[in-house]
Amino acid sequence: MPDLKTLTELPPLSLYIHFPWCVRKCPYCDFNSHAAVDTLPEAEYIDALIANFQIYEKWIEGRELQSVFMGGGTPSLFSADSIAALLHSLSQRVHFSADCEITMEANPGTFEQLKFARFRQAGINRLSIGIQSFADTQLHHLGRIHSADEALKAVAVAREAGFDNLNIDLMHGLPGQTLELAIADLQQAIDLHPEHISWYQLTIEKNTEFFSRPPILPEDELLWSIQEHGQALMAQHGYRQYEVSAYSLSDRQSRHNGNYWSFGDYIGIGAGAHGKLTSTTKQGIFRTQETRLPKDYMSKIHTVVPGLKQVPREELPFEFMMNILRLKEGVDMSLLERRTGIPFAVVEDIWRNLQRQGLVVSDRLATTDQGFLFLNRVLDNFLEIDAL
């Protein structure tokens, strides 16, 4: 068994900020989100985020933030002044790279559209609009509170506000959805010319309303047909699939998501936020998790990194591959050692066996087209690595 290497290289660093409130909880959503009641405690929550971030400063180790992602929940329920104050305070504590990608998730509702220009002025340079469908019937099934017209208008308003980097979130495999309806939805998104489209299948998750009262979803054969036709349509219009459910125009991939999938580091702040951090001094890779309930989170005194757990050495190959192999193009084989301290030789026999099965390529850490379709089968091979 080859010797394990010392971790000497810190990966790129990103920041995830969780905003846990929505106007209404969607029946398919299993994220840490809560229906907003009365007035949001904006000032209190922003103060908690800043205090939360301070406990991570020693983990930065001279790195710049490559990206910031504000997710939820619905971050755009907050005022632009609150977002501006948060970004300003963070910039006093960590350096933002000159081309730092700063994304905010937003919904198409009219109330949020009115704030798009102010968000752009506050420093947000990428907007991710949660449209999910352009059909009113489907929006009703999904429990969304916006209309198809509002969805179209939201993209126009975002462009008028100066956003030149837009993502549209779109679902397929919806209740009662035919191939024609799914492709019409996708064509509508393409016609709006966003730089990025997140196109993913509706799945039923535990602890959701849909899990308790499952809707009737399309059969597997139809789902497969939707996937095939949709991918062909996006390729025809210049949207390249670079990750399992992410498609972009040339050079417009999400830097933030790219850092996740290349096993980069990210600080996670906000109620229920997760993080992943590398330490060369502690010689390890760690996971973090914040307190979930907003009330508990805001009343907490942030003094130590919460939920700090080192990833066991024997689990690192699986954790690494679970992220890396979501990337369609994969990465250089040397990245395994650079990110984890584990030489490729440790997994080489497994990799060559998968290669003989036609599931992975020979010169990079990447699957073949066949392996990409059966990604879970590929990953299962890295669950237990002896002698680590």
Side-chain angles (χ1 to χ4, degrees):
M1 175 63 64
D3 292 334
L4 301 181
K5 306 298 182 181
T6 300
L7 280 169
T8 58
E9 176 184 312
L10 287 170
L13 182 65
S14 296
L15 172 65
Y16 174 75
I17 309 172
H18 191 75
F19 292 80
W21 291 283
C22 290
V23 172
R24 185 170 70 194
K25 180 84 170 179
C26 293
Y28 57 83
C29 178
D30 69 336
F31 295 156
N32 184 34
S33 59
H34 309 265
V37 179
D38 301 324
T39 304
L40 291 176
E42 289 198 26
E44 186 179 358
Y45 195 72
I46 295 297
D47 287 345
L49 289 172
I50 294 168
N52 191 181
F53 183 81
Q54 290 174 351
I55 65 175
Y56 290 100
E57 290 185 48
K58 66 181 180 181
W59 292 83
I60 296 172
E61 297 190 49
R63 287 176 289 179
E64 299 179 322
L65 283 183
Q66 303 300 312
S67 64
V68 178
F69 194 99
M70 300 183 188
T74 309
S76 52
L77 291 179
F78 273 55
S79 69
D81 287 343
S82 290
I83 298 301
L86 174 61
L87 289 173
H88 175 74
S89 181
L90 292 173
S91 71
Q92 306 303 302
R93 293 166 171 80
V94 61
H95 192 265
F96 286 53
S97 67
D99 58 349
C100 186
E101 176 191 272
I102 305 177
T103 302
M104 172 184 276
E105 287 185 334
N107 284 326
T110 301
F111 170 72
E112 293 166 67
Q113 292 177 36
L114 295 173
K115 297 187 281 187
F116 282 2
R118 296 286 310 284
F119 287 138
R120 185 68 188 90
Q121 294 164 8
I124 307 299
N125 55 32
R126 184 174 182 269
L127 209 59
S128 180
I129 305 178
I131 289 173
Q132 313 311 352
S133 176
F134 291 96
D136 284 327
T137 299
Q138 294 297 349
L139 291 171
H140 175 72
H141 286 153
L142 294 172
R144 304 294 288 174
I145 61 173
H146 67 270
S147 67
D149 284 344
E150 283 181 311
L152 295 171
K153 186 178 179 183
V155 175
V157 171
R159 293 301 195 194
E160 292 167 7
F163 285 98
D164 59 1
N165 196 359
L166 289 181
N167 170 62
I168 286 178
D169 263 4
L170 199 69
M171 286 184 176
H172 61 88
L174 305 180
Q177 192 174 53
T178 63
L179 171 62
E180 291 74 21
L181 290 173
I183 297 305
D185 240 3
L186 184 57
Q187 183 66 63
Q188 178 64 82
I190 291 170
D191 289 345
L192 294 172
H193 308 294
E195 286 68 32
H196 192 283
I197 297 175
S198 296
W199 190 59
Y200 50 95
Q201 182 182 321
L202 171 64
T203 56
I204 307 300
E205 306 290 349
K206 291 182 178 179
N207 302 315
T208 65
E209 185 181 332
F210 274 179
F211 186 78
S212 302
R213 297 186 297 104
I216 299 174
L217 301 181
E219 299 289 340
D220 287 347
E221 185 175 347
L222 176 54
L223 291 172
W224 181 253
S225 184
I226 289 173
Q227 188 77 30
E228 281 192 314
H229 283 78
Q231 289 181 335
L233 181 65
M234 281 196 275
Q236 178 185 336
H237 289 273
Y239 289 91
R240 185 176 68 85
Q241 183 184 23
Y242 69 94
E243 190 264 334
V244 170
S245 58
Y247 304 76
S248 74
L249 298 177
S250 180
D251 298 322
R252 303 313 292 266
Q253 299 93 335
S254 166
R255 293 186 64 194
H256 188 84
N257 288 340
N259 192 41
Y260 284 158
W261 308 135
S262 59
F263 215 55
D265 277 0
Y266 54 97
I267 295 169
I269 62 173
H274 293 253
K276 178 238 167 197
L277 298 166
T278 302
S279 172
T280 53
T281 56
K282 298 178 185 293
Q283 281 297 298
I285 294 169
F286 299 80
R287 296 288 186 185
T288 67
Q289 182 175 0
E290 296 293 340
T291 303
R292 284 181 58 85
L293 292 177
K295 183 178 179 181
D296 293 343
Y297 176 79
M298 289 184 288
S299 63
K300 181 179 178 180
I301 299 175
H302 298 273
T303 56
V304 296
V305 175
L308 185 68
K309 292 178 64 175
Q310 184 168 356
V311 180
R313 184 72 84 157
E314 62 271 16
E315 294 179 12
L316 282 174
F318 176 77
E319 290 245 353
F320 178 84
M321 294 297 181
M322 183 173 60
N323 287 277
I324 292 298
L325 297 183
R326 289 181 65 101
L327 295 171
K328 201 82 167 81
E329 299 299 319
V331 297
D332 189 271
M333 288 179 167
S334 66
L335 194 67
L336 173 63
E337 182 174 324
R338 286 158 42 208
R339 290 283 192 268
T340 68
I342 297 173
F344 175 71
V346 170
V347 301
E348 186 167 11
D349 286 348
I350 295 172
W351 193 262
R352 299 309 174 200
N353 183 46
L354 289 169
Q355 185 186 336
R356 286 190 290 272
Q357 297 176 53
L359 297 173
V360 300
V361 301
S362 61
D363 59 338
R364 294 174 61 75
L365 295 178
T367 64
T368 60
D369 288 343
Q370 181 77 357
F372 203 67
L373 293 175
F374 298 99
L375 189 53
N376 287 339
R377 175 181 159 189
V378 173
L379 292 173
D380 284 346
N381 289 268
F382 298 96
L383 278 171
E384 294 184 13
I385 305 294
D386 294 333
L388 276 178

